[in-house]
Amino acid sequence: MIDEGRQGEALMTNDGGAGKRKLYLESYGCQMNFADSEIVASILKNDGFTTTKDFHEADVIFVNTCAIRENAEQRVRNRLNEFKQVKRKNPDMIVGVLGCMAERLKEQFLDQEKIVDIVVGPDAYRDLPNLIAKVEGGQKAVNVILSKEETYADITPVRLDANGVSSFISIMRGCDNMCSFCVVPFTRGRERSRDPHSIVREAQELFANGYREVTLLGQNVDSYIYAGGGLKKEILTEEQRSSATTFAQLLEMVAQVHPDLRVRYSTSNPKDMTDDVLHVMAKYDNICKYVHLPVQSGSTRLLEVMNRGYTREDYIDRINAIKRILPGCGISSDIMTGFCTETEEDHKETMSLMEWADYDFSYMFAYSERPKTLAERTLTDDVPEEVKQSRLAEIIKLQQKLSAAKTNAAVGKVHRVLIEHESKKSPDMWMGRNSQNNVVVFPKGNYKKGDYVNVLAESCTLATLIGRVIE
Ligand code: 5AD
Ligand code: SF4
């Protein structure tokens, strides 16, 4: 899930910082990338760095990049050009590209455009201190090797601020799905899961430090499986599988850390989501009743072209399972318009499925062709841009209607809310979320960040509930 509000955010730590070298680290893309930036900050902290929010005073500027769509890459390119201007005045400043654009664009960035000194892929962050030293010695530095083992399990990420309430924990890396539109298997490599005990330990530490919510992150959490390390595809024997930790088991282990620690996760995949995960969710009050289950398209024919591994009917079956096992559960989706060969008929099927599923929320995109993907190699990007955009506008309009109805229906009810931070609109109000992930704002009273409160929703805007605390 890509949070538009966080794109280009600079990571800040509060470690004093006097006399240290300064790192400016800006991040794009999904939550996993933001979690990776905290790992990068941790590695560089041990190498004598502190963070800054002002790139003009930085010794090192890193941009943690996203390659999911053309416009994500374009945004980063524009930003790199800005940094190039600053570097012109301060030639000792090091500029580097991290993350998902690294592998594909290394030659272009280093040799042709000469805009950066360092290019580092998502599995090579432990090498950063060496690479920085290399640049300081006058060389260019690059490491985009994708790993079979790396999960950064032993690295405690540097958190944005020590009194936070909610935090992300990466539970796996890479993706083995090979959806025909998606660049992720090429940028982040093969799928591997992280040792469950290191995940539980991280959740325990967060709870001890005052955190009250963790979100477990993976490209496809349902296929999490840990049998001692290495690639998922190398877990071959029946014996290895039967003694392995599955996602349902991991979720239960994290839920047991403390009843006051809320647990969320993202992202599920319709072809892998099993009922046992839903039953674990039903069993624990502190596992939030919210599932992000991207459909991409409502047309079985198009799902096949996308290589998604499920049909419209399979998807409907999964939504029915959620509604049966977890009544009232929030459900959201990712939807793409204008993928190769998409017809008006396919588009209508997407619209009808959205209406049937009655999503609380959707992330919606127009398809953009990505290098190396199956679609780029074997299909024609044949839906005209205007058509992609007009279909996108239609699904956005439909989703707004669905979301508004959902928010309205939540008015008049009492919601258990975890207080996250001050409302952006008013210093007198708190902002938090209910289990279904709706945003709720209410007068502060004597409550504080990290408290759980029961809020009666009295009114709403399009996507926010407004209410007051009841005892
Ligand atoms: N073009 C447009 N959207 C894409 N997504 C993934 N690849 C592409 C692409 N090439 C969307 C999918 C995915 C979300 C993270 O981004 O909907 O679920
Ligand atoms: Fe995340 Fe995908 Fe973007 Fe990489 S390309 S940052 S995995 S959304």
Side-chain angles (χ1 to χ4, degrees):
M1 285 192 283
I2 293 183
D3 180 349
E4 272 309 315
R6 291 193 73 186
Q7 301 304 300
E9 185 179 286
L11 188 148
M12 274 306 284
T13 54
N14 47 6
D15 55 1
K20 296 184 178 172
R21 289 185 290 173
K22 292 194 173 72
L23 164 71
Y24 175 82
L25 173 53
E26 188 172 285
S27 308
Y28 294 84
C30 61
Q31 292 158 336
M32 296 204 72
N33 235 28
F34 283 81
D36 279 2
S37 289
E38 297 182 340
I39 288 170
V40 168
S42 176
I43 291 168
L44 291 186
K45 189 180 171 190
N46 289 335
D47 195 37
F49 276 90
T50 184
T51 47
T52 172
K53 256 197 151 95
D54 177 6
F55 64 79
H56 295 95
E57 64 161 27
D59 298 293
V60 172
I61 295 181
F62 280 154
V63 189
N64 194 358
T65 61
C66 170
I68 196 89
R69 281 172 290 275
E70 177 74 40
N71 56 9
E73 286 197 358
Q74 197 49 48
R75 205 160 171 178
V76 167
R77 286 175 166 283
N78 296 342
R79 201 63 180 145
L80 288 174
N81 280 321
E82 278 175 55
F83 297 144
K84 195 175 174 180
Q85 307 302 324
V86 184
K87 192 174 159 67
R88 208 169 270 154
K89 291 193 202 117
N90 176 7
D92 288 338
M93 176 187 266
I94 294 173
V95 179
V97 163
L98 315 181
C100 291
M101 284 167 76
E103 147 75 273
R104 188 167 77 79
L105 293 169
K106 55 185 188 293
E107 280 95 14
Q108 194 165 354
F109 285 158
L110 284 170
D111 304 331
Q112 295 165 18
E113 298 175 18
K114 298 194 189 337
I115 37 178
V116 301
D117 311 291
I118 297 187
V119 175
V120 189
D123 286 343
Y125 297 145
R126 284 181 206 266
D127 201 20
L128 279 169
N130 288 330
L131 296 168
I132 291 172
K134 206 168 155 193
V135 173
E136 285 168 343
Q139 291 170 276
K140 298 277 176 193
V142 50
N143 185 347
V144 293
I145 296 169
L146 291 169
S147 161
K148 288 165 79 169
E149 301 285 338
E150 184 62 270
T151 58
Y152 301 110
D154 57 316
I155 296 183
T156 306
V158 168
R159 304 293 171 179
L160 292 183
D161 75 277
N163 298 316
V165 176
S166 64
S167 187
F168 297 110
I169 302 181
S170 291
I171 64 165
M172 58 207 294
R173 300 184 72 81
C175 187
D176 282 352
N177 280 345
M178 292 289 173
C179 302
S180 58
F181 52 78
C182 189
V183 77
V184 170
F186 307 96
T187 63
R188 295 184 87 91
R190 294 280 82 80
E191 192 175 306
R192 69 220 96 118
S193 297
R194 176 179 166 188
D195 183 341
H197 298 290
S198 78
I199 296 168
V200 169
R201 207 161 40 236
E202 195 172 329
Q204 286 166 336
E205 280 166 16
L206 285 164
F207 186 78
N209 287 328
Y211 284 82
R212 290 296 173 264
E213 181 180 281
V214 293
T215 303
L216 308 180
L217 293 179
Q219 298 295 346
N220 177 5
V221 292
D222 301 295
S223 81
Y224 174 93
I225 184 159
Y226 186 82
L231 295 183
K232 181 187 167 189
K233 68 173 185 205
E234 288 171 353
I235 304 176
L236 295 174
T237 64
E238 228 4 83
E239 197 190 334
Q240 280 173 320
R241 285 204 167 265
S242 61
S243 63
T245 306
T246 63
F247 181 60
Q249 290 164 335
L250 174 72
L251 191 60
E252 181 148 28
M253 287 161 76
V254 178
Q256 285 171 348
V257 166
H258 198 284
D260 285 341
L261 183 69
R262 269 190 175 177
V263 186
R264 297 182 186 274
Y265 63 85
S266 182
T267 297
S268 303
N269 190 310
K271 83 176 164 58
D272 298 314
M273 193 189 76
T274 52
D275 285 2
D276 58 348
V277 170
L278 301 175
H279 288 300
V280 171
M281 288 176 77
K283 188 170 158 194
Y284 291 89
D285 277 345
N286 59 324
I287 304 181
C288 289
K289 304 301 178 271
Y290 171 68
V291 178
H292 182 59
L293 192 68
V295 70
Q296 312 298 356
S297 167
S299 151
T300 294
R301 189 193 68 80
L302 209 63
L303 288 168
E304 171 103 43
V305 185
M306 290 176 168
N307 197 28
R308 288 286 288 176
Y310 57 88
T311 63
R312 178 185 175 97
E313 289 66 36
D314 296 335
Y315 187 85
I316 288 174
D317 171 71
R318 294 295 74 210
I319 297 280
N320 278 332
I322 296 172
K323 291 184 175 171
R324 182 177 69 244
I325 300 167
L326 301 164
C329 183
I331 304 175
S332 63
S333 191
D334 289 350
I335 304 166
M336 205 186 300
T337 61
F339 186 62
C340 311
T341 77
E342 187 188 62
T343 62
E344 198 54 37
E345 204 47 47
D346 297 319
H347 172 60
K348 290 218 169 72
E349 288 200 60
T350 297
M351 303 265 287
S352 72
L353 188 65
M354 286 173 74
E355 198 122 21
W356 176 85
D358 197 15
Y359 294 124
D360 295 71
F361 196 78
S362 292
Y363 298 84
M364 295 159 282
F365 315 97
Y367 169 62
S368 81
E369 187 176 89
R370 306 312 294 137
K372 282 196 185 175
T373 57
L374 201 69
E376 189 247 1
R377 287 179 284 126
T378 62
L379 301 167
T380 313
D381 183 9
D382 56 358
V383 178
E385 191 58 32
E386 321 79 81
V387 178
K388 287 180 185 173
Q389 292 300 335
S390 75
R391 288 179 188 164
L392 179 62
E394 269 184 68
I395 63 168
I396 290 175
K397 197 168 153 214
L398 172 57
Q399 184 57 55
Q400 279 173 346
K401 186 188 92 178
L402 300 176
S403 299
K406 280 281 171 113
T407 321
N408 267 306
V411 172
K413 297 195 174 128
V414 176
H415 302 265
R416 183 114 180 111
V417 175
L418 170 63
I419 302 180
E420 290 181 25
H421 51 72
E422 202 165 81
S423 152
K424 287 199 177 95
K425 297 222 172 94
S426 159
D428 305 325
M429 310 274 273
W430 285 127
M431 171 276 175
R433 277 174 298 152
N434 64 6
S435 178
Q436 291 77 11
N437 215 26
N438 298 120
V439 172
V440 185
V441 300
F442 51 92
K444 277 184 174 172
N446 291 323
Y447 303 99
K448 56 184 192 311
K449 266 191 347 181
D451 285 349
Y452 286 95
V453 286
N454 293 322
V455 178
L456 171 67
E458 296 177 309
S459 63
C460 66
T461 62
L462 252 186
T464 304
L465 294 167
I466 303 158
R468 65 183 162 87
V469 178
I470 53 167
E471 293 306 326

